[in-house]
Amino acid sequence: MATFLYKLGRTAFRRRRLVALLWVALLALAGVGAATAPAATSSSFSIPGTEAQRAFDLLEERFPGAGADGATARVVFKAPDGAKMTDAASKAVVEETVSALKSGSDQIVSVTDPYTAQAVSRDGSTAYVSVAYKVNAMELTDETREALKQAGHAAQGKGLTVELGGDALQSMPETGAGEIVGVVIAGIVLVITFGSLVAAGLPLLTAIIGVGIGVSTITALANVLDLGSTTSTLAMMIGLAVGIDYALFIVSRYRSELADGRSGEEAAGRATGTAGSAVVFAGLTVVIALVGLAVVNIPMLTKMGFAAAGTVVIAVLIALTLIPALLGFAGDKVIGRKQRKGTADPEKAAKPNAGTRWARFVIRRPLFVLLAGVIGLGAIAIPAASLEMGLPDDGVKPVSATERRAYDLLSDGFGPGFNGPLLVVVDGDRATADRTVSTIKGLDGIAAVTPATPNKAGDAAMITVIPKDRPSSGATEALVHDIRDATGDDVLVTGATAMNIDFSQKMNDALVPYLALVVGLAFVLLTVVFRSILVPLKAALGFLLSVVAALGAVVAVFQWGWLGSLFGVEQTGPIMSMMPIFMVGVVFGLAMDYEVFLVTRMREAYVHGERPGEAIVTGFRHSARVVTAAAVIMIAVFSGFIGMTDQMIKMIGFGLAVAVLFDAFVVRMAIVPAVLALLGHKAWWLPKWLDRALPNVDVEGEGLAAHDAGTAVKDLVKA
């Protein structure tokens, strides 16, 4: 592989104008496709194989036009002290609001009058208007949302406290600010790392081009493949991350080759042949992690994984072709001005860099470093044993949000469980539905049960159950299971709360198979790359340690509330169900990037004759600075999301930033060299039968050495 990529790099360097033109043309083509394609809508969200999903399907079949999976909103009214919502003045305001809502949008299915729907609290202090929509929250138009807000605002100015709740207010979070901050920080880190604006600009430029092509392609195909408006989010995050990393690795190796006195074309070829080989296999591990999301069997996640994997493939291809081409345009400008002019201090250049000094420290005290790293991460991981997964609701939003205030008003006026009603669907006649109502009333944890509402055909019915406890509580989850156990197969429980419970259970059940698939395939891949059993095993175990530690930190902050005020956590709650699998997929890819780039340089030195300890030092001397820069950039990008108000985005940003911090600086930069130092030559042991069976991909560039030797012989013969 190294020889093939070496030739590819040299070709791209020589034909740089053609290569650059091709990538610009692809970017323009994708941009035109995205601009001319119909606007993307939200893809349908489904959880195949769950009872909640079967209930929704039954509702669509037996109650056509009911909008069972449509968005909902609640306009919550609270009377001033000493007044009631049943007073004439309050009634007049509510009736005006109901009228305004009914005429506010053609996406509305129904608007309920609280005085005929028994939606007034017993003490008369609180009332609410329910609004049902034809489409889900992501498909609501801005005009529809604005009409809802205007109706609430108008009522607010007439003496009542008015708050808005429900998923109708939900919209895609604006993440542009976080991304811009991340790119700015990335640029600063790259300038510090390379000491050259040109060298710093290349990874940013190529990463943006790669993300532009990937996201534009997703946008262009969104309606054809039902990708939805949320699919590009993960693709953008991963594409930006790996795009910068892969370009960073190759540019860094190119600078090293130039420093060794090689010509620009030869340096580009060697950088692509060596660092490019690491990029290929690092990219494969990321693709495995993203495509592996298909095992969860949730269509939305599968599409997001495949779309992001496509963006990663684009990033790899750009690193192998466009980067050498741009290096041809840049020439020696990728090196700092002092080094180009020969004015750099030779004594300073000869001193061991920070990576070399750290590697020597680890080699002197490998057991101490190993124990410190493992015990430290193990202690941070302890809270992960108390992990409670769910989907955070309006109750965990900041009190400044109207959804949170509406949630609190409803809890105070009608009880905590009112914010999480359960919808029971009966596949049977009226007698069956009445028996189901009686059975449910006999269960513990019930606040109220409405009479059954049959469909027109009389072969199905809906029952609303109000739990006593809040939606995300363990008691409500137990109640859902109790209803399912106490009723027959013709009774199905659904609703947002039940859907969240089933979703969390499905994600929990998929975590171990997903880990086994991703780590297992990556282990095989790394065995081929490193020609070793223990090095891939150490890489996989180190990754698991860093992920569990990151989950422990997330639980401590977002579930227990430790240091919550520091990170803007106003209300603790369950950890988002997608968080563990999402973290595994994203962090695994980045962790293997750092592992492959760092350890392949060690492997390269070892294969070329250095002793194990010397090879570790060589790997750190050439790679530690680059891996550190890549990790700092990713931490900065992910940390930019912590400042957002959305609890889920905040949680994802914190979790990913902490996971990269642990994996890059504790596992890859401390535990990995410590283990390699303790193992010595055994680290690179591979059974002979397995060595013969595995394909030789030549990541360390042995083929290039043979190529050099052959070229030298030919030159002598010609002479």
Side-chain angles (χ1 to χ4, degrees), residues 68-286:
D69 60 347
T72 59
R74 281 176 174 168
V75 183
V76 186
F77 302 87
K78 184 174 177 59
D81 292 339
K84 292 186 176 182
M85 290 305 303
T86 52
D87 296 341
S90 299
K91 277 188 173 183
V93 174
V94 173
E95 288 170 358
E96 288 178 13
T97 304
V98 170
S99 178
L101 288 169
K102 285 181 177 179
S103 60
S105 171
D106 57 3
Q107 291 185 308
I108 291 177
V109 174
S110 63
V111 179
T112 62
D113 186 327
Y115 302 105
T116 59
Q118 299 180 342
V120 181
S121 63
R122 290 182 180 179
D123 61 4
S125 65
T126 309
Y128 67 90
V129 173
S130 292
V131 185
Y133 295 90
K134 299 176 183 178
V135 297
N136 63 42
M138 292 297 106
E139 294 176 336
L140 291 178
T141 63
D142 292 338
E143 292 76 11
T144 297
R145 288 197 180 92
E146 189 60 31
L148 174 63
K149 294 176 183 177
Q150 286 297 331
H153 181 72
Q156 179 82 48
K158 296 180 180 178
L160 299 179
T161 299
V162 184
E163 303 295 347
L164 306 178
D167 62 352
L169 295 176
Q170 199 177 60
S171 60
M172 285 298 297
E174 297 293 334
T175 57
E179 292 160 8
I180 293 173
V181 171
V183 170
V184 171
I185 294 177
I188 295 172
V189 172
L190 289 171
V191 170
I192 294 173
T193 301
F194 287 138
S196 165
L197 288 175
V198 174
L202 287 180
L204 291 177
L205 175 62
T206 54
I208 292 172
I209 291 174
V211 168
I213 293 174
V215 173
S216 296
T217 303
I218 291 170
T219 304
L221 299 176
N223 279 306
V224 176
L225 302 179
D226 189 29
L227 297 179
S229 57
T230 61
T231 309
S232 60
T233 303
L234 179 61
M236 183 178 296
M237 183 182 292
I238 298 296
L240 188 62
V242 300
I244 293 175
D245 279 2
Y246 297 163
L248 178 62
F249 296 158
I250 292 180
V251 171
S252 175
R253 187 60 184 257
Y254 175 77
R255 284 161 52 94
S256 297
E257 297 296 336
L258 284 182
D260 289 341
R262 291 187 172 88
S263 66
E265 182 178 333
E266 180 67 15
R270 286 186 168 273
T272 310
T274 51
S277 298
V279 164
V280 169
F281 283 96
L284 281 175
T285 60
V286 182

Side-chain angles (χ1 to χ4, degrees), residues 150-457:
Q150 286 297 331
H153 181 72
Q156 179 82 48
K158 296 180 180 178
L160 299 179
T161 299
V162 184
E163 303 295 347
L164 306 178
D167 62 352
L169 295 176
Q170 199 177 60
S171 60
M172 285 298 297
E174 297 293 334
T175 57
E179 292 160 8
I180 293 173
V181 171
V183 170
V184 171
I185 294 177
I188 295 172
V189 172
L190 289 171
V191 170
I192 294 173
T193 301
F194 287 138
S196 165
L197 288 175
V198 174
L202 287 180
L204 291 177
L205 175 62
T206 54
I208 292 172
I209 291 174
V211 168
I213 293 174
V215 173
S216 296
T217 303
I218 291 170
T219 304
L221 299 176
N223 279 306
V224 176
L225 302 179
D226 189 29
L227 297 179
S229 57
T230 61
T231 309
S232 60
T233 303
L234 179 61
M236 183 178 296
M237 183 182 292
I238 298 296
L240 188 62
V242 300
I244 293 175
D245 279 2
Y246 297 163
L248 178 62
F249 296 158
I250 292 180
V251 171
S252 175
R253 187 60 184 257
Y254 175 77
R255 284 161 52 94
S256 297
E257 297 296 336
L258 284 182
D260 289 341
R262 291 187 172 88
S263 66
E265 182 178 333
E266 180 67 15
R270 286 186 168 273
T272 310
T274 51
S277 298
V279 164
V280 169
F281 283 96
L284 281 175
T285 60
V286 182
V287 170
I288 288 172
L290 294 171
V291 172
L293 288 171
V295 304
V296 183
N297 193 27
I298 294 179
M300 182 189 72
L301 280 181
T302 301
K303 292 173 184 177
M304 289 176 67
F306 274 89
T311 307
V312 172
V313 171
I314 292 173
V316 171
L317 294 176
I318 283 180
L320 298 179
T321 56
L322 184 57
I323 283 292
L326 295 180
L327 289 173
F329 289 111
D332 61 357
K333 291 185 177 64
V334 296
I335 300 176
R337 183 179 299 177
K338 290 183 178 180
Q339 191 173 353
R340 290 201 309 270
K341 293 182 176 181
T343 58
D345 187 353
E347 293 185 4
K348 184 178 180 180
K351 291 181 180 178
N353 59 22
T356 300
R357 294 194 297 271
W358 171 250
R360 289 173 178 170
F361 170 79
V362 173
I363 291 173
R364 288 196 301 270
R365 298 175 178 82
L367 187 59
F368 168 77
V369 173
L370 176 62
L371 291 177
V374 172
I375 293 173
L377 291 181
I380 298 172
I382 291 175
S386 302
L387 175 67
E388 295 178 5
M389 292 200 298
L391 291 179
D393 52 26
D394 289 345
V396 300
K397 290 188 175 181
V399 293
S400 58
T402 185
E403 299 97 320
R404 168 63 185 277
R405 296 195 296 269
Y407 182 99
D408 292 340
L409 288 177
L410 290 172
S411 294
D412 295 340
F414 297 90
F418 194 80
N419 284 292
L422 305 175
L423 183 60
V424 178
V425 186
V426 181
D427 184 8
D429 56 19
R430 182 59 182 264
T432 303
D434 290 340
R435 286 196 302 271
T436 301
V437 171
S438 299
T439 300
I440 294 174
K441 284 183 176 179
L443 300 175
D444 294 330
I446 301 289
V449 181
T450 66
T453 303
N455 65 345
K456 290 183 179 180

Side-chain angles (χ1 to χ4, degrees), residues 490-520:
D490 55 354
V491 177
L492 305 172
V493 184
T494 188
T497 300
M499 185 71 88
N500 291 349
I501 292 171
D502 287 354
F503 180 77
S504 299
Q505 185 62 49
K506 193 171 183 69
M507 298 297 290
N508 190 46
D509 293 342
L511 182 58
V512 173
Y514 178 67
L515 267 175
L517 174 69
V518 170
V519 175

Side-chain angles (χ1 to χ4, degrees), residues 383-391 470 472-474 477 504 555 559-560 573-577 651:
S386 302
L387 175 67
E388 295 178 5
M389 292 200 298
L391 291 179
R470 58 192 175 89
S472 59
S473 69
E477 181 177 352
S504 299
V555 170
Q559 187 176 309
W560 292 0
I575 303 305
M576 186 180 62
S577 304
M651 189 183 298

